[in-house]
Amino acid sequence: VVYLRDNVITSQGVTILIDALLNSCTTLKHLNLSNNCISDLGVAFLARTFLLNNVTLKYLHLGSNCITDFGIEHLFEVLDKNTTLTDLLLNDNEITDKGVQHLTNLLKNEETQLKHLNIQLNKSISDSSVELFINIIPLNQLLEKVNLSRCNLTSRGKSKFLQAIVERKDFELII
């Protein structure tokens, strides 16, 4: 478990940190880098490093790091091949509906083990993303929880989402 929240870690700091972790740790399962300054560049480095070193994370928290859809694209490349990640927290970033499309594409992959997705406080996520999730929920029975609170969903979008999941008793939606 590596917990480095609120340390003003930049994209340059991520390169140093991950290099040190990979040299001293044989298995990295839990990584919390929330509330730093990692940005898309740092996410690109993380993704490339994880892919090249076959890192098998179970929990990744990158909330509040100024990550945009570009960073999500980099994450998608590695997470599409990762079969161990169960918890992904990307709250309070700059993700839009385009980034959500990458995330829901990831959830279509039958190898994906993701159970919990937190993308709350991404103000550019709108009702357009509701349809993306509605289409994926019946296909992905492993997904247990999605947090979309304080995004830019209308009452109509929230209602539509809630109606679509009424059959999934094992699914928690936070809006």
Side-chain angles (χ1 to χ4, degrees):
V1 174
V2 177
Y3 186 86
L4 293 170
R5 179 183 179 171
D6 297 313
N7 280 289
V8 197
I9 298 170
T10 63
S11 56
Q12 184 178 10
V14 166
T15 62
I16 296 164
L17 171 69
I18 294 300
D19 190 42
L21 285 173
L22 290 174
N23 287 327
S24 64
C25 233
T26 56
T27 57
L28 179 61
K29 300 287 184 202
H30 185 115
L31 181 60
N32 184 336
L33 295 173
S34 63
N35 297 351
N36 283 293
C37 305
I38 292 171
S39 75
D40 294 334
L41 187 59
V43 171
F45 180 77
L46 277 174
R48 187 176 63 247
T49 303
F50 290 167
L51 195 58
L52 293 174
N53 292 283
N54 199 26
V55 174
T56 56
L57 281 176
K58 286 188 161 288
Y59 178 97
L60 180 60
H61 192 338
L62 296 174
S64 300
N65 271 296
C66 301
I67 299 167
T68 69
D69 298 334
F70 185 66
I72 298 303
E73 285 182 52
H74 289 290
L75 271 179
F76 175 77
E77 291 173 17
V78 68
L79 295 179
D80 194 44
K81 294 166 182 55
N82 178 305
T83 59
T84 61
L85 190 72
T86 58
D87 295 79
L88 179 60
L89 292 84
L90 296 165
N91 54 292
D92 197 18
N93 280 295
E94 298 168 19
I95 302 167
T96 71
D97 295 320
K98 182 179 177 187
V100 172
Q101 186 166 14
H102 290 298
L103 293 169
T104 54
N105 284 340
L106 171 68
L107 293 169
K108 288 178 188 175
N109 181 342
E110 292 179 6
E111 300 295 316
T112 299
Q113 298 296 308
L114 199 63
K115 293 181 179 185
H116 306 119
L117 176 62
N118 182 341
I119 51 176
Q120 73 175 323
L121 285 165
N122 282 283
K123 303 289 185 191
S124 294
I125 294 176
S126 71
D127 287 353
S128 298
S129 291
V130 170
E131 283 299 322
L132 296 169
F133 277 109
I134 287 173
N135 292 333
I136 200 65
I137 298 298
L139 302 174
N140 186 322
Q141 294 297 308
L142 287 176
L143 188 63
E144 298 172 352
K145 182 178 183 179
V146 173
N147 187 339
L148 284 161
S149 65
R150 295 186 273 170
C151 291
N152 196 22
L153 303 180
T154 65
S155 296
R156 186 175 186 187
K158 291 176 184 178
S159 178
K160 189 174 185 177
F161 204 156
L162 288 169
Q163 288 172 352
I165 63 163
V166 74
E167 298 296 319
R168 284 279 309 265
K169 303 296 183 209
D170 60 338
F171 184 79
E172 181 181 2
L173 174 64
I174 302 171
I175 50 175

